[in-house]
């Protein structure tokens, strides 16, 4: 497995769309999926490859000189629990540290809405050292309460 930074916006968008469409349990809202596809064109993005096949990616969004966010991340289902996500979050952490940032954040579905897939997502981020900060019940919409997680990079 190899991690590469992708520079070309069109390539970023195509890679993002292909992987997110393989994850309908997490990215099944078409409008949201297309928003991510457009957004990643301008963001730092790293992709994990098995040979020449893109198997995962993470895009980074800078919020301030002190904090950045794993804006969107996806790993093809057949590669879950194989360390791909850990490597991609590690890339985001290294990038944030290199810019002198103190915090890395991520948003995901809150546990107040039961969902087996997102329960695993939260467990992953907790294992990576992220901690819950706040729930935004209507940030996305009432059916999808948003949980903000943060990791101190100090």
């Amino acid at each position: 497995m190899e991690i590469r930074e992708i520079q070309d916006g069109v390539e970023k968008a195509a890679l993002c769309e292909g992987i997110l469409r393989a994850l309908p349990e997490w990215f099944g809202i078409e409008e949201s999926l297309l928003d991510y596809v457009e957004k990643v064109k301008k963001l730092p993005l790293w992709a994990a490859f098995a040979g020449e096949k893109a198997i995962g990616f993470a895009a980074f969004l800078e919020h301030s000189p002190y904090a950045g966010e794993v804006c969107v991340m996806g790993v093809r289902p057949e590669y879950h629990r194989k360390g791909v996500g850990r490597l991609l979050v590690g890339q985001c952490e290294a990038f944030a540290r290199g810019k002198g940032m103190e915090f890395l954040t991520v948003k995901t579905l809150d546990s107040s809405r039961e969902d087996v897939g997102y329960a695993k997502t939260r467990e992953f981020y907790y294992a990576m050292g992220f901690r819950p900060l706040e729930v935004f019940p209507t940030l996305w919409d009432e059916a999808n309460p948003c949980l903000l997680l943060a990791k101190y990079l100090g």
Side-chain angles (χ1 to χ4, degrees):
M1 181 179 4
E2 176 186 9
I3 305 289
R4 298 182 210 153
E5 184 171 5
I6 308 300
Q7 301 286 336
D8 180 74
V10 173
E11 185 180 355
K12 290 177 190 181
L15 193 146
C16 171
E17 184 169 8
I19 291 173
L20 295 187
R21 289 204 183 278
L23 299 163
E25 298 87 7
W26 287 268
F27 298 97
I29 300 169
E30 185 70 7
E31 181 181 345
S32 178
L33 186 148
L34 294 175
D35 182 54
Y36 283 129
V37 169
E38 189 60 33
K39 189 180 284 187
V40 299
K41 290 178 182 178
K42 297 178 180 164
L43 299 177
L45 183 144
W46 298 271
F49 288 86
E52 288 306 308
K53 180 181 180 180
I55 60 172
F57 77 95
F60 183 90
L61 178 61
E62 187 171 335
H63 288 298
S64 76
Y66 307 100
E69 176 181 354
V70 180
C71 177
V72 59
M73 183 171 86
V75 175
R76 292 188 181 277
E78 63 271 27
Y79 290 93
H80 284 185
R81 306 203 50 84
K82 297 187 185 312
V84 179
R86 188 170 290 277
L87 289 173
L88 291 167
V89 169
Q91 281 295 139
C92 291
E93 288 179 21
F95 185 77
R97 281 190 177 103
K99 294 181 81 60
M101 294 179 177
E102 298 175 40
F103 299 96
L104 183 63
T105 66
V106 66
K107 296 179 187 97
T108 192
L109 188 68
D110 182 56
S111 62
S112 62
R113 172 156 163 244
E114 291 186 31
D115 184 288
V116 174
Y118 276 102
K120 291 178 183 175
T121 298
R122 288 187 299 276
E123 288 173 21
F124 166 76
Y125 284 118
Y126 295 151
M128 292 293 300
F130 287 83
R131 297 297 174 250
L133 293 185
E134 188 170 356
V135 176
F136 298 93
T138 58
L139 181 67
W140 293 324
D141 61 49
E142 289 183 15
N144 294 293
C146 173
L147 172 64
L148 175 65
L149 300 160
K151 180 175 182 174
Y152 178 63
L153 301 176

